[in-house]
């Protein structure tokens, strides 16, 4: 992943596999993955006024799309 990021001059890579989606940010040692049960926790956290850590890690803002 580090080589891909360096070659493409990007900070992170989203890898989609048949059974898993993972966001890697190798320079920072970060790896996030989607799990259906985590979606429930993320929605509950946002509903209670908390932050979505994946959105924060991806530094998404108004108008950004994933």
């Amino acid at each position: 992943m580090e080589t891909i990021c360096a070659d493409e001059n990007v900070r992170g890579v989203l890898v989609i596999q048949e059974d898993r989606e993972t966001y890697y940010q190798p320079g920072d040692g970060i790896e996030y993955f989607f799990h259906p049960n985590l979606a429930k926790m993320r929605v509950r956290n946002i509903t209670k006024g908390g932050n979505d850590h994946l959105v924060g890690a991806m530094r998404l803002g108004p108008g950004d799309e994933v």
Side-chain angles (χ1 to χ4, degrees):
M1 294 302 138
E2 210 166 316
T3 301
I4 291 171
C5 287
D7 289 350
E8 299 298 323
N9 195 32
V10 295
R11 189 171 183 180
V13 177
L14 179 63
V15 178
I16 300 175
Q17 298 169 297
E18 185 175 325
D19 61 340
R20 183 178 172 133
E21 295 85 30
T22 308
Y23 173 73
Y24 295 98
Q25 219 173 283
D28 299 323
I30 294 174
E31 177 182 335
Y32 292 100
F33 65 92
F34 175 80
H35 187 281
N37 290 337
L38 288 177
K40 290 180 188 177
M41 284 184 2
R42 290 171 65 200
V43 169
R44 184 177 57 231
N45 195 32
I46 291 168
T47 302
K48 292 181 177 182
N51 296 322
D52 185 317
H53 299 291
L54 181 59
V55 171
M58 295 174 70
R59 297 190 174 126
L60 299 176
D64 290 342
E65 296 180 19
V66 176

